[in-house]
Amino acid sequence: MAALARANPIVVLLAGLLVAALLWLIIAPWPPGVTGVMGPKRVFLAAILSGITLGALYFLVASGFTLIFGLMRNVNLAHGSLYLLGGYIGFEVADRTGSWLLAFPVVFIIVAALGVVLQYVVFRRMEGEELRQTLVTIGLSIVIADLLLWIWGGKSYQILTPDFLSGPMDLPLITAVRSDGAAVYLRYPRVRIWILIAAVVVGVAMWLVINRTRIGMLIRAGVDDREMLAASGLPIQLVFVLVFAFGAGLAGVGGIVGGTFQSISPGEDTRFLLASLVVVIVGGMGSIPGAALGALIIGLAEQIGLVYAPTYSVVFTFLIMAAVLAFRPQGLLGARR
Amino acid sequence: MRRSFLAAAAAIALAMPGAALAQETIKIGILVALEGAFSEGGRDGVRGVELALRQVNNTAGGRRIETIVAPTDTRPDTAVRQARKLIEQDGVDFVIGPLSGSEGIAIRDYAKTVPDKTFINGSSGALETTWVDPAPNFFRFHTDGAQWGVGLGQYVVEQKRWRRIATVSADYSFGYTNFLGFAVDFCRAGGDIVRRFWVPLGASDYAGVIAQLPDDVDAIYLGLGGTDAINFLNQYAQAGAQMNFIGGTIMADQTVLTSRGRAKDLLIGTPTSGMISDENPDAAWTAYVAAYRGAFPEGQRFPSPTIFATGYHIATLAAIKALNDVSGDLSGGQRRFQQALATMELDTPLGKIKLDQNRQAIGPVFVNEVTARADGSLFNRMVKRADNVTQTLGLTPEQFRALGLPSRDNPDCARLRAGR
């Protein structure tokens, strides 16, 4: 960090100022001048929080995607289908048992099992043939999408929020000060805050597993040099299956989360596949912190765009992606190979 | 090879004697959205067709009737593709549908390319479908989205005393049309629209819009439908805001009022308007509701028919009556059949309906209020009924044309208010 500051003092100063301005915008009550330009502070804060929570959802889906790519060089274009399948199964479990929490382990196990089948039956047979794997995953995603349409129909499903998570909560962020001096705090949907916390926990846990455990060491070694790891006689196929199962399960769990604060319907699979692709391209293929950063940037760009420039909001995501590809093709936190 | 086969098939078809054709079954194509925001409404539309056909034992004009369902996803290109499939591959005699606003406009244009086939609109409610350059073989036997707004604006201003509102509506032709019908009425009665939000059809995340809704207004007009409406209400309930609502026609339809969860309770007391009222005391309506309930077991239908079922049902009634009038004769480019449709006065569950020179229905419109029954289920209680509402909303065609076509910025509320 200090070396960076010595090398580019002006860039670091500008970045520092930007962060300070952003913090001021978030924490301080806005004077009328700022409100005049940017609209009420409530809207700004809600957009930021929506961006972060949407980023949390993107992270859940994209982290599995990036992990699978990093380790197996397999661009799994059926990842969105796993998301959608998880959402539908989650809906069925939550609907029949009335327990939202139960849906998470059930979906994780079922979708992870499907991931094991996919890896063991399909991808193991075409190891190293990237084009073939990519085409097969496209084919699988189409087949799975049609099967889901056949089973669950074209309607959109909403997974109901459990009572303990429904309704709003007050956040310690001041949106305005009333004339009598009382502060007005930001009200925000409770379920979104908890999903954000859960995503952070999952992210930190993944980071710890990858950087602090033996299995994480195997995964990192595999990402760096798969052939060498295999040559060392380590059970690389087992690692592949485990990682694929975990990534698939995470996508399935993402489906429950998506179905709870948005909805699940045909077409969501490609939407989340595209979002995952953009996230890992921005963040860097194969990097978990990269997926987190990419998801945050894309989520924020989408939501802030939606509020302040609704007509162009769709473009922002792809502008960011194009800029990253132009100036840092390996992604913001991706390693150059 | 393929071409010669087609030629042979065509030759056989041409050589078939007309007498034999009269004995053949009539094929009806049902063009209906079964994917996307209105898929539940679409299923109910199919029920509406089935109910009408069952009541005549699948026979009209002395010929048996067969149906083929072509599913769409509310996108105009899909609707046209499926309509082509119905006509070119399945060889249907006429089409009942489509369901959604922009589909209707696309089918109107497609209809002009097949003048010897007939299209009877299902439940799509965009104004332009029958107002701008209408197709001579396209018929709409229910009132359109703008007509559905009649009376609601005035009711809101005069009974509820809500004068300042913001609006959230779906960003496509029906959203514009339905909004225009309400806004013309509302602004002429002295109301003011301070902000308009437009959200795409099939959007799933409304957090951004909900955060921006102003809190210094009397009410918020919601012009969403199907699962969009359900998603919005759920996310609105999550955000914990409390505001009076005014419902667009499909916002407070049975498809939304029977959704799971408690978010729909936010709608209790919401004034809304449309082509039906759930508890209309009219004998024709109660008989229709009883037949609907009798025809489909509970759990496989709504507590009472939706506007989608009713629109498709009325379209089928019109087709049956016209087939009876011409004794099942669809020869000669269906001209006699089309003539019968254009000139008929149709008895429907909503009362008598006739068409204007654009083949657009003139009929009743209801103002309702969402009310909870003792068991907690919701329905539209009728508070007002206007009969013989025309497509120009009671204005002369010139005055109506001067308003401009429905769009994001139309109508101009201040001008309408001043012109009172």
Side-chain angles (χ1 to χ4, degrees):
Chain A
M1 198 67 202
L4 190 70
R6 264 196 299 278
N8 301 314
I10 296 172
V11 175
V12 171
L13 184 70
L14 281 178
L17 280 177
L18 209 66
V19 169
L22 196 65
L23 278 178
W24 181 81
L25 279 176
I26 290 172
I27 293 167
W30 288 8
V34 180
T35 312
V37 179
M38 309 236 333
K41 184 178 177 193
R42 176 171 60 94
V43 174
F44 172 76
L45 279 184
I48 298 267
L49 275 174
S50 303
I52 296 173
T53 47
L54 185 64
L57 173 58
Y58 283 166
F59 170 73
L60 282 180
V61 184
S63 53
F65 185 75
T66 200
L67 207 57
I68 291 171
F69 173 80
L71 188 62
M72 284 166 264
R73 295 286 174 276
N74 176 1
V75 182
N76 178 19
L77 295 179
H79 202 69
S81 314
L82 300 175
Y83 166 88
L84 194 58
L85 176 70
Y88 282 130
I89 297 176
F91 170 83
E92 290 297 337
V93 173
D95 194 44
R96 283 175 195 192
T97 65
S99 165
W100 184 70
L101 289 175
L102 183 67
F104 283 85
V106 173
V107 164
F108 188 87
I109 291 167
I110 293 179
V111 181
L114 180 68
V116 170
V117 173
L118 280 180
Q119 166 63 22
Y120 200 73
V121 177
V122 183
F123 299 122
R124 199 176 51 123
R125 294 175 189 280
M126 44 190 84
E127 220 175 279
E129 301 172 67
E130 283 156 22
L131 184 61
R132 202 165 147 211
Q133 282 186 340
T134 307
L135 288 175
V136 165
T137 56
I138 292 179
L140 277 173
S141 74
I142 294 170
V143 171
I144 296 177
D146 263 8
L147 286 176
L148 296 182
L149 183 63
W150 178 42
I151 299 172
W152 277 282
K155 73 184 252 198
S156 108
Y157 291 85
Q158 255 254 321
I159 301 171
L160 286 187
T161 324
D163 285 338
F164 66 93
L165 283 182
S166 60
M169 65 192 283
D170 281 335
L171 293 178
L173 291 170
I174 299 170
T175 57
V177 178
R178 285 211 194 89
S179 48
D180 59 358
V184 184
Y185 292 100
L186 181 71
R187 305 191 87 193
Y188 201 74
R190 191 184 302 267
V191 63
R192 281 183 171 244
I193 296 294
W194 281 103
I195 283 165
L196 173 63
I197 293 171
V200 171
V201 169
V202 168
V204 170
M206 274 169 72
W207 187 85
L208 284 176
V209 167
I210 287 179
N211 287 293
R212 293 279 184 273
T213 64
R214 193 180 142 71
I215 181 92
M217 210 156 70
L218 281 178
I219 292 172
R220 275 182 295 142
V223 169
D224 278 347
D225 196 329
R226 194 170 38 168
E227 285 74 22
M228 192 57 80
L229 183 68
S232 319
L234 286 156
I236 190 163
Q237 286 302 337
L238 185 66
V239 178
F240 282 1
V241 166
L242 279 181
V243 167
F244 206 106
F246 181 74
L250 218 49
V253 167
I256 307 180
V257 172
T260 306
F261 74 63
Q262 300 183 348
S263 59
I264 31 175
S265 56
E268 290 291 288
D269 48 349
T270 42
R271 202 185 122 217
F272 272 85
L273 174 67
L274 192 65
S276 303
L277 272 170
V278 174
V279 162
V280 299
I281 287 172
V282 169
M285 282 284 209
S287 153
I288 296 290
L293 183 66
L296 190 64
I297 292 175
I298 297 303
L300 279 172
E302 253 182 47
Q303 290 295 324
I304 292 178
L306 209 60
V307 170
Y308 289 106
T311 322
Y312 307 103
S313 66
V314 196
V315 186
F316 289 138
T317 325
F318 295 101
L319 278 182
I320 291 172
M321 187 175 90
V324 167
L325 282 175
F327 297 108
R328 203 178 152 80
Q330 73 271 36
L332 292 177
L333 298 182
R336 195 184 287 274
R337 288 179 203 287
Chain B
M1 175 62 204
R2 185 180 161 81
R3 187 166 296 172
S4 64
F5 172 75
L6 280 178
I12 290 167
L14 285 175
M16 286 227 285
L21 273 174
Q23 302 308 315
E24 265 185 36
T25 54
I26 292 176
K27 278 191 192 170
I28 306 181
I30 308 174
L31 191 62
V32 61
L34 293 175
E35 230 182 280
F38 301 125
S39 54
E40 283 298 298
R43 280 166 198 237
D44 213 35
V46 177
R47 278 179 217 122
V49 175
E50 275 176 15
L51 177 60
L53 289 178
R54 267 190 220 180
Q55 286 170 340
V56 294
N57 214 359
N58 280 311
T59 317
R63 293 171 67 176
R64 274 199 67 71
I65 292 175
E66 201 178 276
T67 55
I68 298 169
V69 174
T72 72
D73 58 5
T74 74
R75 291 211 316 265
D77 55 327
T78 317
V80 170
R81 196 170 63 239
Q82 291 287 12
R84 291 186 93 102
K85 181 210 155 243
L86 281 174
I87 285 178
E88 291 170 11
Q89 289 177 26
D90 301 326
V92 301
D93 294 292
F94 58 89
V95 172
I96 292 178
L99 177 137
S100 179
S102 297
E103 294 183 325
I105 297 175
I107 292 298
R108 169 201 72 189
D109 292 337
Y110 171 65
K112 291 176 195 158
T113 68
V114 279
D116 293 345
K117 300 286 180 181
T118 306
F119 293 82
I120 307 174
N121 186 59
S123 62
S124 85
L127 174 75
E128 291 92 326
T129 311
T130 51
W131 177 249
V132 180
D133 198 11
N137 52 338
F138 190 101
F139 301 81
R140 180 154 64 191
F141 279 89
H142 64 76
T143 41
D144 76 13
Q147 290 167 289
W148 292 349
V150 165
L152 178 61
Q154 200 187 7
Y155 176 76
V156 165
V157 171
E158 288 174 4
Q159 304 292 317
K160 296 280 179 183
R161 308 258 162 220
W162 297 340
R163 289 173 183 280
R164 263 172 72 79
I165 61 162
T167 69
V168 181
S169 331
D171 195 6
Y172 74 113
S173 57
F174 173 73
Y176 304 148
T177 303
N178 200 210
F179 170 76
L180 175 118
F182 161 76
V184 165
D185 211 39
F186 178 72
C187 299
R188 278 155 60 98
D192 189 12
I193 299 171
V194 295
R195 185 129 187 227
R196 304 174 190 193
F197 296 94
W198 297 100
V199 289
L201 178 63
S204 51
D205 198 339
Y206 295 95
V209 169
I210 290 169
Q212 292 181 76
L213 290 175
D215 33 24
D216 58 345
V217 291
D218 300 326
I220 290 168
Y221 170 89
L222 299 177
L224 308 171
T227 47
D228 290 359
I230 298 167
N231 281 343
F232 178 91
L233 288 173
N234 275 317
Q235 291 170 27
Y236 190 85
Q238 293 294 345
Q242 286 292 332
M243 185 62 76
N244 296 318
F245 290 135
I246 302 164
T249 297
I250 49 178
M251 186 73 204
D253 186 58
Q254 281 292 322
T255 48
V256 178
L257 296 183
T258 56
S259 64
R260 294 173 332 112
R262 286 180 314 277
K264 63 176 186 286
D265 292 347
L266 290 172
L267 287 176
I268 292 173
T270 297
T272 170
S273 65
M275 73 186 220
I276 65 171
S277 177
D278 293 340
E279 304 224 326
N280 176 357
D282 231 22
W285 176 260
T286 49
Y288 165 60
V289 175
Y292 173 86
R293 286 179 181 156
F296 308 100
E298 213 170 335
Q300 291 176 33
R301 58 163 168 84
F302 289 97
S304 66
T306 62
I307 60 158
F308 304 102
T310 311
Y312 275 84
H313 183 73
I314 291 175
T316 315
L317 292 181
I320 291 168
K321 182 167 193 298
L323 283 173
N324 284 333
D325 288 352
V326 301
S327 311
D329 175 16
L330 291 176
S331 61
Q334 308 190 349
R335 290 295 173 270
R336 284 186 63 209
F337 177 63
Q338 293 174 357
Q339 184 63 24
L341 282 172
T343 53
M344 74 171 54
E345 188 167 277
L346 184 66
D347 281 311
T348 75
L350 305 172
K352 284 213 185 305
I353 282 184
K354 56 182 188 294
L355 301 188
D356 65 15
Q357 71 282 4
N358 287 344
R359 293 159 300 286
Q360 162 63 41
I362 301 170
V365 171
F366 301 83
V367 176
N368 303 309
E369 209 163 296
V370 178
T371 310
R373 294 193 185 90
D375 63 355
S377 65
L378 303 183
F379 72 103
N380 277 317
R381 184 170 55 87
M382 183 170 129
V383 293
K384 219 165 85 176
R385 172 188 178 132
D387 279 308
N388 296 320
V389 176
T390 62
Q391 192 171 28
T392 55
L393 313 179
L395 306 171
T396 65
E398 290 70 37
Q399 285 174 323
F400 187 69
R401 208 160 273 130
L403 287 176
L405 289 175
S407 74
R408 287 179 173 191
D409 306 317
N410 222 17
D412 180 346
C413 200
R415 215 180 71 198
L416 281 169
R417 204 166 46 246
R420 189 153 64 115

